[in-house]
Amino acid sequence: MELLVVMSVLSILMTIAVPSYKRSQIRARESVLAEDLYQIRKSIDAFYADHATYPDSLPQLVENHYLRSLPRDPFTRKNDTWKCIAPEATENGQVAEGGCFDISSGSELVGLNGIPYCDW
């Protein structure tokens, strides 16, 4: 009988702890994603400030030493799934040179805030 009570208490504690643990793992990955996006965007801006053009691809940031290496996307777990967003035309129709104005995650998952990671 005592063993049954102990097992019941443990199962109740596990049903409370496991979802909380999973949520904290997702929150940690989201924090890493937000920091990676910030650092890559900062590197793209620095590249533009130095060259007056955006990089054609993300590996160009590594080649020119703006990044040590491309970070691994915490949700796709690959470093080649980042999506470059090309610059848009301004009001007078001019488009900045280069192919990578902004960056987004290649993940199709939706964050805890309800926004897909590819839209962060």
Side-chain angles (χ1 to χ4, degrees):
M1 191 65 163
E2 291 175 13
L3 184 60
L4 184 62
V5 171
V6 169
M7 294 300 288
S8 299
V9 169
L10 283 176
S11 65
I12 290 170
L13 290 174
M14 290 300 289
T15 56
I16 294 170
V18 169
S20 175
Y21 175 71
K22 297 249 186 220
R23 182 177 287 282
S24 66
Q25 280 185 321
I26 293 171
R27 259 188 270 137
R29 284 193 205 160
E30 286 182 350
S31 295
V32 170
L33 176 63
E35 180 64 23
D36 287 347
L37 288 171
Y38 172 77
Q39 292 298 332
I40 294 172
R41 288 172 176 154
K42 188 174 165 183
S43 298
I44 290 171
D45 291 342
F47 186 94
Y48 184 78
D50 291 344
H51 300 281
T53 182
Y54 290 105
D56 293 321
S57 64
L58 291 178
Q60 191 174 5
L61 292 173
V62 176
E63 292 167 8
N64 290 317
H65 305 290
Y66 288 92
L67 292 172
R68 288 186 180 180
S69 64
L70 282 178
R72 192 174 65 136
D73 187 320
F75 290 99
T76 62
R77 295 192 170 109
K78 297 179 182 176
N79 65 353
D80 60 351
T81 57
W82 298 106
K83 294 181 182 176
C84 279
I85 300 169
E88 297 178 2
T90 60
E91 293 176 1
N92 57 0
Q94 294 179 341
V95 178
E97 292 183 30
C100 198
F101 164 75
D102 197 8
I103 186 92
S104 67
S105 173
S107 176
E108 300 292 326
L109 299 174
V110 177
L112 293 175
N113 60 2
I115 300 172
Y117 296 123
C118 59
D119 292 340
W120 280 30

